[in-house]
Amino acid sequence: VDLVESGGGLVQAGGSLRLSCVVSGNIFSISAMGWYRQAPDKQRELVACISRFATTDYVDSVKGRFTISRDNAKNTVSLQMNSLKSEDTAIYYCAVGSTPTNCAAAVRLGQGTQVTVSS
């Protein structure tokens, strides 16, 4: 299983970015998919998760600003990030969840894409 992220970059506070992740292999349609992030000197945290059944969950700090979605026909999961803040600056990782509904124990991570929000 390979995960390839794209869409990171530099944006001003208040701006938007859209991250995408294409997943190879047959695991995509049966797995929960998520996005983690890791900022310098901080632990990696789960930002958003979408189950196989398209139910979603977010960390409190991004609720109302970020939206996770999936396209099972294209093996793609996306993260739309609006109203970005400097504290959103991190490396963002696409992840395959361990079950159809759980992203908390990722079984595979992508290589990561840098998101930098300037204030």
Side-chain angles (χ1 to χ4, degrees), residues 35-38 43-47 59 61:
W35 287 94
Y36 284 77
R37 68 184 178 187
Q38 187 164 17
Q43 288 190 330
R44 189 166 60 207
E45 68 172 345
L46 177 60
V47 175
V59 68
S61 60

Side-chain angles (χ1 to χ4, degrees), residues 3 21 32 41 43 52-53 56 59 62 68 73 84 87 90 97 101 112 114:
L3 296 81
C21 174
D41 300 323
Q43 288 190 330
R52 173 188 178 187
F53 311 104
T56 59
V59 68
V62 308
I68 189 170
L84 283 161
E87 51 262 44
T101 58
Q114 177 71 47

Side-chain angles (χ1 to χ4, degrees), residues 23-74:
V23 183
S24 66
N26 297 324
I27 197 172
F28 182 87
S29 63
I30 63 172
S31 301
M33 295 296 302
W35 287 94
Y36 284 77
R37 68 184 178 187
Q38 187 164 17
D41 300 323
K42 292 188 177 180
Q43 288 190 330
R44 189 166 60 207
E45 68 172 345
L46 177 60
V47 175
C49 180
I50 184 165
S51 75
R52 173 188 178 187
F53 311 104
T55 57
T56 59
D57 194 21
Y58 302 90
V59 68
D60 285 347
S61 60
V62 308
K63 285 180 180 177
R65 299 188 298 121
F66 290 12
T67 302
I68 189 170
S69 60
R70 65 190 295 160
D71 184 337
N72 289 341
K74 297 181 179 180

Side-chain angles (χ1 to χ4, degrees), residues 60-115:
D60 285 347
S61 60
V62 308
K63 285 180 180 177
R65 299 188 298 121
F66 290 12
T67 302
I68 189 170
S69 60
R70 65 190 295 160
D71 184 337
N72 289 341
K74 297 181 179 180
N75 278 19
T76 300
V77 59
S78 299
L79 186 68
Q80 178 67 42
M81 305 185 293
N82 299 328
S83 302
L84 283 161
K85 304 175 181 180
S86 57
E87 51 262 44
D88 295 318
T89 295
I91 299 174
Y92 284 72
Y93 299 89
C94 176
V96 179
S98 57
T99 74
T101 58
N102 189 351
C103 295
V107 297
R108 191 84 173 186
L109 291 178
Q111 82 283 357
T113 185
Q114 177 71 47
V115 171

